[in-house]
Amino acid sequence: MADDYRRIADRLADDIAAGRLRPGERLPPQRAFARRCGIAGSTAGRVYAELVRRGLVVGEVGRGTFVRAAPVPSGRALAEPSPESPAPLVNLELNYPSVPGQSELLTPALAPLLRPDVLTESLRTAPATGTPAAREAVADLLATPGWRPAPSRLAFAGNARQAIAAAFASLVRPGGRVGVEALTYPLVKEIATRLGVTLVPLAMDDEGLRPEAVTAAHRSAPLSAVYVQPTLHNPTGVTMGDARRRQLAGTARDLDLPLVEDRIWSFLHTGQDPLAAHAPERTYLVDGLSKRVAPGLTVGFLVAPEDRVEDVAAALRSGAWSAGRFALEAAVRWLADGTVDRLVTAKRADAELRQGLVTEHLAGFRVRADPRAYQVWWELPAPWRADTFTAAAAARGIAVTPGSAFAAAPAAAAGASDAVRLGLASVAPPELARALRTLADVARTRP
């Protein structure tokens, strides 16, 4: 039956959750697993692929498939493991910034929305293109020194991930190919899988995506679009310079390729115009409020080329990805009364403080980080590998993300199996400092 592989995956997931399969433990080779379970080799492959999709295991070409540290709620203190119960994890996989006094800042703008007359209107549906007030407010928010999107080019999603999905759905037919950085945002891989899109890893350097890699991939087999994170790239923190942005925009124009530009972390990095400023006729810019404000009540933004706004809006409607009216109304008020500006200022200072902790506690290690970013890319010292280090960290109560989670395709990103990403935003600074000290101690030992 078609669902057999899911039932087998469910059983393995239960074993992982119960601790019968522990972080870092290697699963049998797929052929051996198939023989043990009395299933076809293709079914075993689907079981393992399903576990990867759920984020429960990671696969490394030539080495095997390993159990990942299971994500758990963040915000708990470090604790020594005990035989009676597993240690609670400090979660450096999640990356949602919050600053002291955030709820107090957000509350005043919400109060008027709770008046019955206003609430009635706020609970109505909103079109995918939002409201006139939302379009104007967000155009101002996204503006840079040399660029401001026309409000008529804006559409709204429930969050930035849904905006990415809508851009892909409007641009790429099932079976199409989308170029992405060799290391990319993991949820883009899930979006592509659900839409039947093939991701093509593209080479990077110290400035991010290399335009010549786009040209080579497109000439090998046509791409339908390119997804790129030019500002504070996740996971490496790399930011493209203006010259590279102009070069990439020119390449996309020469090849007649659309660009999906993810700027979700751009609020931490001021002064640079987006790719959309250099190629507005082919760039789909994605941003949102989840990082600026909070993940629970948020809005995603999608700036489309003028002649493609309706296509994007249709994709948002068909995917049920449109933003809720209440969230739009709240966003407009937070933007108008300066709440978002105050939160952005506070989070920039907070990210700098946390990067200072990284500098202090991971001194001497190969850590790639931008002082403005909420994440770092840690190239582990030999003989550590990401899977063994992730397991060792989990045993000490800390969840980190292995580099292979960001690889656009198996073996596509050199060094991913020997690196981890640390998300700095989701735990309090004292807890982060203790976690960093613990991780440094682990890295100085041998596996």
Side-chain angles (χ1 to χ4, degrees), residues 43-100:
T43 303
R46 296 181 76 184
V47 171
Y48 279 36
E50 176 67 12
L51 293 172
V52 170
R53 188 191 69 78
R54 298 184 194 183
L56 298 175
V57 302
V58 292
E60 295 185 15
V61 174
R63 298 195 70 243
T65 302
F66 299 85
V67 178
R68 285 186 60 190
V72 300
S74 61
R76 299 178 180 177
L78 284 168
E80 291 295 327
S82 70
E84 293 77 23
S85 61
L89 294 184
V90 173
N91 200 324
L92 303 187
E93 292 194 293
L94 298 179
N95 213 16
Y96 292 110
S98 181
V99 292

Side-chain angles (χ1 to χ4, degrees), residues 113-365:
L113 290 176
L114 301 181
R115 286 176 20 211
D117 57 329
V118 179
L119 184 61
T120 297
E121 184 64 24
S122 299
L123 294 180
R124 299 184 190 280
T125 58
T129 51
T131 64
R135 290 193 292 272
E136 289 290 341
V138 172
D140 288 340
L141 174 71
L142 299 180
T144 60
W147 176 80
R148 181 182 185 269
S152 59
R153 294 176 56 199
L154 273 155
F156 296 85
N159 53 47
R161 296 189 297 275
Q162 293 175 345
I164 294 170
F168 279 22
S170 70
L171 288 168
V172 189
R173 293 180 178 178
R177 290 161 35 96
V178 173
V180 297
E181 292 119 329
L183 293 170
T184 193
Y185 177 39
L187 283 180
V188 165
K189 296 193 289 184
E190 184 172 332
I191 291 168
T193 297
R194 291 182 179 277
L195 295 177
V197 172
T198 299
L199 297 184
V200 180
L202 305 174
M204 303 169 64
D205 60 19
D206 289 342
E207 274 204 86
L209 181 61
R210 294 168 52 187
E212 63 269 25
V214 177
T215 300
H218 187 63
R219 288 177 177 170
S220 172
L223 301 174
S224 298
V226 173
Y227 166 84
V228 60
Q229 304 172 77
T231 304
L232 296 179
H233 171 267
N234 180 19
T236 65
V238 167
T239 293
M240 282 186 186
D242 288 331
R244 172 64 62 87
R245 291 170 191 245
R246 288 192 293 271
Q247 185 183 2
L248 181 58
T251 297
R253 189 175 289 114
D254 292 343
L255 299 176
D256 194 24
L257 273 177
L259 297 171
V260 180
E261 178 180 11
D262 187 340
R263 280 178 60 83
I264 194 67
W265 290 110
S266 64
F267 71 95
L268 296 171
H269 191 300
T270 60
Q272 281 194 306
D273 291 335
L275 288 169
H278 303 294
E281 80 288 353
R282 66 186 58 255
T283 303
Y284 296 70
L285 184 147
V286 172
D287 206 331
L289 289 184
S290 63
K291 308 300 185 184
R292 287 178 175 90
V293 180
L297 182 61
T298 187
V299 180
F301 318 134
L302 182 49
V303 181
E306 195 73 58
D307 60 345
R308 295 300 305 276
V309 175
E310 182 47 44
D311 291 336
V312 165
L316 287 165
R317 289 192 295 268
S318 65
W321 295 320
S322 298
R325 183 65 169 260
F326 188 89
L328 280 178
E329 295 294 339
V332 169
R333 283 165 169 76
W334 286 329
L335 289 166
D337 69 5
T339 295
V340 174
D341 286 341
R342 287 189 287 274
L343 286 173
V344 165
T345 298
K347 290 181 181 183
R348 287 174 181 165
D350 183 56
E352 184 177 351
L353 180 151
R354 291 164 187 266
Q355 287 287 350
L357 295 176
V358 172
T359 300
E360 177 184 355
H361 297 294
L362 299 186
F365 293 105

Side-chain angles (χ1 to χ4, degrees), residues 76-79 89-92 357-358 361-362 378 389 393 396-400 422-424 427-443:
R76 299 178 180 177
L78 284 168
L89 294 184
V90 173
N91 200 324
L92 303 187
L357 295 176
V358 172
H361 297 294
L362 299 186
W378 187 359
F389 188 82
R396 289 158 177 81
I398 307 166
V400 302
L422 308 181
L424 308 179
V427 299
E431 189 175 38
L432 175 62
R434 291 194 294 273
L436 293 171
R437 285 197 298 269
T438 300
L439 293 175
D441 289 343
V442 172

